[in-house]
Amino acid sequence: MGPGLDRGSAFVGKGHGRRLRGLSVAGSGLELVTPHGPAGVAVLRFHESTRKETLERFGLHEVPPGSVHLVRPSLDGEVLDEGLLVACPDGSLELHVHGSPALVERLLVGEPSARQSSAGLSLEAAALARVPEAPCSAGARLLLDQGRGHLRRSLVEILARADASQATNLLDHWRLQRFWLKPVRVVLVGEVNAGKSTLFNLMIGEEQALTSSEEGTTRDAVQGRGSLGPWPVEWIDTAGERDDAPLAVERAGQEQARMAAAGADLVLRLLPMDGGQSNHPSPSLGSSLPSPPEVILRSRGEQASARRPSPDAGVALDVLDDPQGARAAVARCVLEALGLPGDWTRTSGQAALYDKSQAEALAAFLGGDSSPLQALLDISD
Ligand SMILES: Nc1nc2c(ncn2[C@@H]2O[C@H](COP(=O)(O)OP(=O)(O)OP(=O)(O)O)[C@@H](O)[C@H]2O)c(=O)[nH]1
Ligand SMILES: [Mg+2]
């Protein structure tokens, strides 16, 4: 968040009726000022009283008000993320990071979330504890099945028989089914006025984002939930790109857009039919983390026949005149880019992984180390 902003207002999830709410750690001078829960970007505020040690923690000395610094928050020597540290005029410091709840939790309490959330919980109890958070009914049913012991039985068999094919099968399904537990995150980026917010509203099915012919309408990233076939999708609309953004608030929005894109499962870059650059810098902020895949779309598809730049310059969308066709075209692009089948179902009563740590344990098993898998089974109900 740049200078002159009154609050860490990044990323208000209007679609879910969320409101800004502080989540602080008693006595730490640290609070989460964006809504609790999954988001593109989270903002943590360090109180002025902790300014000196906070700056030291990030390897900085005194910084002028309004300045923005790229930082790498770490815990126990492990770099957790890349973020922006903003020196607010009131002396406090804001840390803007990706909005993963697990990351925020670790930053807030300094403890790995895995240790906290699953410590002492059996595979069954941990699955049942997650049911209320499931973003779709398929995810809830998957978790309920594991609460009944299907995953445990499968993992016991895999260990007993050294069954690599069963392990591979579980891992293959995890690649898809994880999106029933954490929605696909699609971030819309592109030049100002390209039609991002119009497309965003179409994909979530309501007029949530403001649209106008004025360049630079969207400032804060806006988040809304929709679905594509069986897959829940978190759509994120962002501030448009332009080199000469006149206001600090718009430049801050553009920075936020880059961060949201870096944390996406897929980036949709919307370019106007009559121009637009497709060679913008990668959204990874220059980090060593891999960039998400990016798909080019063209808005104002009704102009396609007259001024189509080239046949391979992106799928043309006619959002205003043919919203259904545009929606179907975007759905095809997203599902194809992520390798997600449009008609995926599962038989109830099947074993399924529901946590990344379980996928890692199975991968270790396939690599010859069965101890992480054994550790998962060691906690009984
Ligand atoms: N003709 C035509 N106009 C469109 C289309 N999509 C969007 N628009 C119009 O283009 C203008 C800009 O649309 P927005 O959705 O606000 O664009 P944006 O990319 O979100 O713009 P910023 O927030 O400023 O970055 C609006 O007047 C829309 O009605 C389209 O497919 N065809
Ligand atoms: Mg917009």
Side-chain angles (χ1 to χ4, degrees):
M1 198 58 47
L5 289 190
D6 52 0
R7 230 195 118 93
S9 56
F11 224 74
V12 183
K14 298 171 198 161
H16 307 292
R18 292 184 199 150
R19 299 203 322 264
L20 284 181
R21 142 179 118 185
L23 184 74
S24 57
V25 181
S28 70
L30 175 60
E31 82 172 318
L32 176 68
V33 293
T34 41
H36 196 41
V41 175
V43 179
L44 295 109
R45 190 195 297 275
F46 295 88
H47 189 261
E48 187 191 358
S49 60
T50 65
R51 181 182 173 87
K52 191 163 174 287
E53 57 262 36
T54 303
L55 287 173
E56 277 170 9
R57 172 178 170 185
F58 293 114
L60 296 166
H61 299 294
E62 203 34 61
V63 292
S67 56
V68 181
H69 307 266
L70 184 64
V71 294
R72 293 183 174 80
S74 62
L75 186 69
D76 299 335
E78 178 198 353
V79 176
L80 300 179
D81 196 15
E82 285 193 318
L84 296 174
L85 192 73
V86 181
C88 300
D90 66 0
S92 65
L93 296 161
E94 281 186 359
L95 177 63
H96 297 217
V97 289
H98 295 114
S100 143
L103 171 66
V104 170
E105 197 179 325
R106 291 188 73 179
L107 289 167
L108 276 172
V109 300
E111 282 294 326
S113 62
R115 265 184 253 157
Q116 293 198 337
S117 56
S118 58
L121 287 186
S122 66
L123 283 172
E124 290 76 14
L128 294 177
R130 289 195 185 189
V131 172
E133 290 168 22
C136 61
S137 57
R141 283 197 297 272
L142 180 152
L143 289 166
L144 285 169
D145 276 346
Q146 311 327 309
R148 295 189 190 105
H150 292 289
L151 177 59
R152 177 179 298 277
R153 281 190 279 283
S154 177
L155 295 182
V156 166
E157 273 178 29
I158 286 171
L159 270 177
R161 301 182 197 161
D163 190 339
S165 75
Q166 197 173 342
T168 306
N169 194 32
L170 277 179
L171 274 174
D172 286 348
H173 285 180
W174 162 252
R175 195 187 65 74
L176 301 174
Q177 290 169 349
R178 67 196 167 99
F179 291 121
W180 280 343
L181 305 168
K182 182 170 172 283
V184 179
R185 180 177 290 191
V186 180
V187 177
L188 289 162
V189 303
E191 291 176 11
V192 285
N193 234 14
K196 300 178 293 301
S197 301
T198 308
L199 180 60
F200 169 83
N201 288 340
L202 175 73
M203 299 314 290
I204 65 165
E206 60 179 275
E207 297 295 310
Q208 187 181 316
L210 289 176
T211 65
S212 96
S213 55
E214 196 174 318
E215 296 189 338
T217 300
T218 305
R219 301 283 168 84
D220 282 352
V222 181
Q223 180 180 13
R225 185 68 64 81
S227 60
L228 295 177
W231 309 108
V233 180
E234 200 78 57
W235 295 93
I236 298 166
D237 180 29
T238 63
E241 295 161 353
R242 59 173 160 176
D243 292 335
D244 53 352
L247 298 177
V249 64
E250 189 178 339
R251 293 195 293 277
Q254 291 173 337
E255 197 59 54
Q256 195 188 52
R258 281 191 280 277
M259 290 186 64
D265 293 308
L266 180 69
V267 174
L268 291 185
R269 179 170 295 282
L270 194 58
L271 303 175
M273 185 53 68
D274 53 358
Q277 305 270 323
S278 60
N279 57 344
H280 282 267
S282 133
S284 71
L285 290 168
S287 92
S288 51
L289 302 171
S291 298
E294 183 170 301
V295 169
I296 307 274
L297 302 171
R298 294 270 173 185
S299 64
R300 297 178 176 78
E302 71 276 8
Q303 302 169 359
S305 52
R307 291 193 258 176
R308 180 120 201 219
S310 74
D312 59 350
V315 173
L317 306 175
D318 188 354
V319 175
L320 295 190
D321 293 341
D322 181 15
Q324 278 192 351
R327 201 179 187 289
V330 173
R332 272 196 304 277
C333 287
V334 171
L335 296 179
E336 192 183 309
L338 293 169
L340 295 174
D343 56 354
W344 180 258
T345 51
R346 65 180 278 279
T347 315
S348 65
Q350 275 183 348
L353 305 179
Y354 61 86
D355 190 276
K356 194 175 165 204
S357 63
Q358 296 157 359
E360 287 166 355
L362 270 187
F365 167 80
L366 290 171
D369 177 8
S370 58
S371 56
L373 199 52
Q374 188 61 57
L376 284 179
L377 293 167
D378 277 348
I379 305 168
S380 59
D381 242 344

